[in-house]
Amino acid sequence: MELGDLQRQMRSTYFESDAARGADATFRWFTEEVGELARALRTGEHANLVHEFGDVLAWLASLANLAGVDLEDAVARYASGCPKCGGDPCRCPL
Amino acid sequence: MELGDLQRQMRSTYFESDAARGADATFRWFTEEVGELARALRTGEHANLVHEFGDVLAWLASLANLAGVDLEDAVARYASGCPKCGGDPCRCPL
């Protein structure tokens, strides 16, 4: 799936609700999903991990729609290696 | 950009470092980026928002690589509307 298509689909499905809820409440929802991802990482159950990664990414796309940010533009600087050291693989300290 | 290509690029650039750091420390880095996104949302400066959304998505992809989760699979249930109510647009309560 194209990242842009995901973001457009999220806009089509959720923008009206996201805009009514507002950026702050949408950020709060996003962090709830981050918390659920933390728990899924602790338990390590694969289907649950898949579910929670999907939710975090979906809410991130909703938030990006509210903030007027194109996620493809946003990750473009990672497209050919580390944006800090230029390495692929990265040679930055851990 | 294909979501799968982003995740493969992140693997090529960072998997060795991510694996050495481990999932818990990588999750902590991810949440640092979430905090930076929170601040960018407060200030509202567009270039900063683009930067921070990119970082959050990049670290989410790193974490998914460590957890063995394919982000395309993870968001597949959002591909044709809301996975809860089936609506596009969503008709769930806020």
Side-chain angles (χ1 to χ4, degrees), chain A residues 7-75:
Chain A
Q7 191 167 357
R8 277 184 289 277
Q9 180 60 52
M10 291 298 297
R11 173 179 293 275
S12 155
T13 307
Y14 294 113
F15 190 77
E16 199 177 328
S17 311
D18 290 339
R21 187 189 312 107
D24 284 343
T26 299
F27 185 83
R28 172 172 51 74
W29 264 100
F30 166 72
T31 62
E32 279 191 40
E33 298 300 340
V34 171
E36 292 178 16
L37 176 58
R39 190 167 53 230
L41 287 164
R42 176 165 57 81
T43 58
E45 204 268 304
H46 185 72
N48 188 223
L49 281 164
V50 171
H51 188 103
E52 299 306 340
F53 272 101
D55 283 351
V56 170
L57 179 50
W59 282 92
L60 185 67
S62 269
L63 204 53
N65 282 330
L66 284 179
V69 168
D70 180 322
L71 288 176
E72 299 237 7
D73 289 349
V75 290

Side-chain angles (χ1 to χ4, degrees), chain A residues 1-4 6 9-10 12-14 16-18 20-21 23-24 27 29-31 33-35 37-38 41 46 49-61 63-65 67-84 87-94, chain B residues 1-4 6 9-10 12-14 16-18 20-21 23-24 27 29-31 33-35 37-38 41 46 49-61 63-65 67-84 87-94:
Chain A
M1 181 188 284
E2 289 279 337
L3 196 44
L6 168 65
Q9 180 60 52
M10 291 298 297
S12 155
T13 307
Y14 294 113
E16 199 177 328
S17 311
D18 290 339
R21 187 189 312 107
D24 284 343
F27 185 83
W29 264 100
F30 166 72
T31 62
E33 298 300 340
V34 171
L37 176 58
L41 287 164
H46 185 72
L49 281 164
V50 171
H51 188 103
E52 299 306 340
F53 272 101
D55 283 351
V56 170
L57 179 50
W59 282 92
L60 185 67
L63 204 53
N65 282 330
V69 168
D70 180 322
L71 288 176
E72 299 237 7
D73 289 349
V75 290
R77 69 199 169 87
Y78 286 94
S80 54
C82 175
K84 284 190 182 155
D88 184 9
C90 170
R91 293 179 296 268
C92 296
L94 283 193
Chain B
M1 181 187 287
E2 288 279 337
L3 195 45
L6 168 66
Q9 180 61 52
M10 291 298 297
S12 155
T13 307
Y14 294 112
E16 198 177 328
S17 311
D18 290 341
R21 187 189 311 106
D24 284 344
F27 185 82
W29 263 101
F30 165 72
T31 62
E33 298 300 339
V34 171
L37 176 59
L41 286 164
H46 185 73
L49 281 165
V50 170
H51 188 103
E52 300 305 341
F53 272 101
D55 284 351
V56 170
L57 180 50
W59 282 92
L60 185 68
L63 203 53
N65 282 331
V69 168
D70 181 320
L71 288 177
E72 299 236 6
D73 289 349
V75 290
R77 67 198 169 88
Y78 286 95
S80 54
C82 174
K84 283 191 183 154
D88 184 9
C90 170
R91 292 178 297 267
C92 296
L94 284 194

